[in-house]
């Protein structure tokens, strides 16, 4: 066998695959509307681009320290203090090639073969595969009630912990559900985490994309005991529309961050020097760009939820964060089109792509049967047209 067991166990990223498929169909002249991509449709703000152009012109084009430049790590410390009430020293920060890379480093650094990592479902597609890549075992916590935003409770966490549990992956605001954990919910989880001495990765990449006056809390900020067990992951991709620049970061106990830096030193070395300058400008510059983007997402969110709820067979709760809706389509499963049954979310996704020319992501990719994920990080016009198409196509199911 040419391919290693470890690589064979990994599925491709469904979110990226669907986005690539929609883009390829568009390039082939097919009029597809993409709700697949989890990336803001706005351009990167100009002051951030200018910082990168200046970095190139200044010759800032060489290796930097593996874990990132001191100035960027200082800016991250400052941001974590101001926004999240987190106190870290620069030795507790690592800059990586995107939050995905930070997650990889953290999981790879902490997990040994056979150790279990708890992942509440629905979860972002990459968590499960990242855990497998590290040789650990993903343990999916299923059947969390939709009425409570599928949020993990202390009780369910307690029940899922075994002697092999190494850590929990928590994501608030959540991709794909948009759920936001309240402070009391995090306090209850932290109590169990501390009692059982497991670790938690807190993926806070959508912290700024939040609505309805909800407030984002970092679990690490609750008390020193939980901070010692938490690796906070964040980045600039979503907040500043910088997905292509590939800058993310992690903060946590010094011993863990140092080990993550050792791993990174052999895998990628530093993240791109130019992108680090751009991220520095983003984090330490004017934050108005975020307010404008979030206001646009907010109005799209309300529109898309209302349109989806008007389609018979679909029900869609209002998400409080991120830029996804996660409608329940279980009432459409069992229907058929031209004699072909719509058995599950994969079949519905295929039907919508072929018949409505609309790309969405099946809920099964996120560990949830009977749901779809639509990203509303696309133009108002696309959202309106796309919803018309979905409505018309669904009406043709019998
Ligand atoms: N976490 C979540 C929940 C995400 O949706 C994404 C989006 N790709 C990431 C992490 C990774 O972001 P990045 O582009 O910084 O790698
Ligand atoms: N996080 C985004 C998504 O869920 C981007 C694609 C990816 O990296 O998975 O669609």
């Amino acid at each position: 066998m040419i391919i290693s067991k470890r690589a064979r166990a990994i599925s491709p990223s469904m979110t990226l695959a669907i986005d690539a498929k929609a883009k390829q169909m568009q390039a082939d002249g097919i009029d597809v509307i993409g709700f697949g991509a989890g990336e803001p449709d706005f351009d990167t703000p100009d002051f951030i681009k200018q910082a990168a152009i200046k970095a190139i012109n200044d010759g800032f084009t060489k290796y930097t320290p593996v874990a990132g430049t001191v100035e960027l790590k200082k800016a991250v410390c400052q941001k974590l203090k101001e926004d999240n009430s987190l106190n870290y020293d620069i030795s507790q920060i690592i800059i990586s090639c995107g939050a995905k890379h930070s997650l990889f480093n953290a999981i790879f650094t902490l997990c040994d073969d056979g150790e279990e990592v708890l992942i509440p479902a629905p979860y972002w597609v990459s968590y499960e595969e990242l855990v497998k890549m590290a040789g650990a075992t993903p343990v999916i916590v299923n059947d969390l009630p939709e009425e409570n935003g599928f949020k993990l409770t202390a009780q369910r966490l307690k029940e899922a912990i075994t002697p092999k549990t190494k850590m929990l992956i928590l994501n608030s605001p959540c991709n794909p559900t948009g759920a936001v954990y309240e402070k009391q919910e995090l306090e209850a989880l932290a109590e169990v985490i501390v009692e059982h001495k497991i670790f938690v990765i807190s993926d806070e990449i959508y912290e700024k994309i939040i609505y309805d006056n909800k407030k984002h809390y970092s679990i690490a900020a609750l008390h020193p005991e939980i901070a010692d067990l938490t690796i906070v992951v964040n980045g600039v991709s979503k907040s500043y529309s910088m997905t292509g620049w590939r800058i993310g970061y992690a903060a946590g106990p010094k011993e863990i961050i140092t080990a993550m830096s050792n791993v990174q030193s052999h895998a990628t070395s530093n993240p791109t020097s130019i992108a680090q300058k751009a991220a520095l400008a983003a984090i330490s510059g004017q934050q108005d760009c975020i307010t404008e983007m979030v206001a646009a997402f907010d109005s799209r969110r309300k529109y898309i939820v209302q349109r989806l709820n008007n389609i018979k067979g679909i029900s869609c709760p209002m998400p409080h964060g991120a830029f996804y809706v996660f409608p329940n389509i279980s009432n459409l499963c069992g229907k058929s089109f031209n004699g072909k049954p719509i058995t599950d979310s994969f079949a519905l996704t295929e039907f919508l792509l072929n018949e409505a020319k609309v790309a969405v992501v099946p809920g099964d990719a996120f560990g949830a049967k009977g749901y779809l994920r639509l990203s509303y990080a696309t133009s108002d016009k696309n959202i309106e047209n796309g919803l018309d198409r979905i409505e018309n196509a669904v009406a043709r199911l019998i």
Side-chain angles (χ1 to χ4, degrees):
M1 183 55 79
I2 301 173
I3 307 301
S4 71
K5 249 194 268 165
R6 196 158 277 188
R8 269 185 281 145
I10 309 303
S11 323
S13 163
M14 178 99 67
T15 43
L16 292 177
I18 287 175
D19 189 41
K21 185 164 183 185
K23 283 182 179 144
Q24 184 56 52
M25 287 170 80
Q26 284 155 359
D28 293 342
I30 304 168
D31 168 28
V32 175
I33 295 178
F35 288 110
E39 65 176 345
D41 53 313
F42 303 97
D43 197 4
T44 303
D46 198 54
F47 74 96
I48 298 174
K49 290 185 190 171
Q50 291 309 323
I53 292 165
K54 182 168 182 326
I56 295 174
N57 288 335
D58 290 351
F60 193 73
T61 53
K62 302 289 199 305
Y63 292 135
T64 75
V66 166
T69 61
V70 169
E71 57 177 0
L72 181 53
K73 290 198 288 186
K74 276 189 180 159
V76 168
C77 284
Q78 187 66 21
K79 179 257 170 251
L80 291 172
K81 191 174 186 153
E82 279 169 16
D83 292 356
N84 312 109
S85 310
L86 292 168
N87 289 305
Y88 290 108
D89 176 78
I90 59 165
S91 63
Q92 297 179 281
I93 307 292
I94 177 170
I95 315 293
S96 300
C97 310
K100 196 180 273 187
H101 187 209
S102 299
L103 289 164
F104 173 81
N105 283 336
I107 295 167
F108 191 81
T109 298
L110 280 169
C111 292
D112 274 317
D113 283 355
E115 286 185 321
E116 294 176 353
V117 177
L118 301 176
I119 307 176
Y123 51 84
W124 177 47
V125 287
S126 290
Y127 295 148
E128 189 176 4
E129 305 307 309
L130 285 165
V131 169
K132 287 198 252 163
M133 280 160 78
T137 308
V139 174
I140 310 301
V141 184
N142 278 309
D143 298 325
L144 298 165
E146 181 186 327
E147 307 74 66
N148 189 35
F150 301 96
K151 284 187 266 186
L152 180 65
T153 59
Q155 182 60 30
R156 291 300 310 277
L157 174 60
K158 216 181 276 180
E159 287 162 7
I161 292 175
T162 75
K164 287 188 181 164
T165 306
K166 184 63 175 266
M167 69 169 143
L168 162 72
I169 303 183
L170 204 60
N171 174 214
S172 178
C174 175
N175 175 7
T177 62
V180 175
Y181 281 73
E182 303 289 344
K183 193 172 180 199
Q184 313 85 275
E185 293 168 329
L186 294 174
E187 280 166 349
L189 293 176
E191 204 176 311
V192 179
I193 292 165
V194 169
E195 184 191 332
H196 291 268
K197 289 205 166 33
I198 61 170
F199 288 90
V200 54
I201 291 184
S202 178
D203 181 345
E204 305 180 10
I205 189 95
Y206 294 100
E207 71 159 327
K208 305 273 186 194
I209 304 169
I210 195 160
Y211 319 99
D212 306 322
N213 295 319
K214 289 270 174 196
K215 188 167 162 28
H216 166 78
Y217 291 98
S218 175
I219 193 168
L222 294 176
H223 43 73
E225 291 80 9
I226 187 72
D228 286 347
L229 296 170
T230 308
I231 297 98
V232 174
V233 171
N234 207 326
V236 296
S237 290
K238 316 287 173 175
S239 306
Y240 304 98
S241 206
M242 290 178 71
T243 45
W245 298 77
R246 312 306 306 132
I247 296 288
Y249 55 86
K254 188 173 172 186
E255 185 188 355
I256 299 173
I257 298 296
T258 305
M260 285 168 64
S261 176
N262 293 343
V263 169
Q264 181 160 302
S265 76
H266 294 292
T268 59
S269 300
N270 61 275
T272 310
S273 58
I274 299 151
Q276 288 190 65
K277 283 283 189 188
L280 175 66
I283 291 173
S284 47
Q286 275 286 345
Q287 303 294 298
D288 311 4
C289 52
I290 302 178
T291 321
E292 285 162 26
M293 194 168 67
V294 172
F297 285 147
D298 190 15
S299 79
R300 294 173 189 177
R301 171 184 73 122
K302 289 175 180 146
Y303 176 80
I304 199 167
V305 167
Q306 185 233 327
R307 287 290 310 266
L308 284 166
N309 278 323
N310 279 342
I311 301 176
K312 201 159 170 260
I314 299 184
S315 73
C316 183
M318 186 67 82
H320 298 297
F323 38 63
Y324 308 103
V325 280
F326 201 60
N328 185 326
I329 49 87
S330 51
N331 284 337
L332 298 179
C333 298
K335 291 189 177 270
S336 61
F337 178 71
N338 278 350
K340 202 172 165 211
I342 303 291
T343 45
D344 53 20
S345 71
F346 289 111
L348 188 63
T349 299
E350 199 186 325
F351 163 75
L352 290 174
L353 189 60
N354 294 335
E355 298 304 321
K357 300 287 179 283
V358 161
V360 301
V361 189
D364 289 75
F366 307 95
K369 288 189 187 316
Y371 295 85
L372 295 181
R373 190 193 79 174
L374 284 76
S375 159
Y376 48 89
T378 185
S379 70
D380 293 359
K381 191 164 147 270
N382 273 349
I383 295 175
E384 196 180 329
N385 283 343
L387 265 295
D388 288 346
R389 290 183 188 191
I390 294 173
E391 192 164 18
N392 290 335
V394 167
R396 287 154 67 202
L397 295 174
I398 46 170

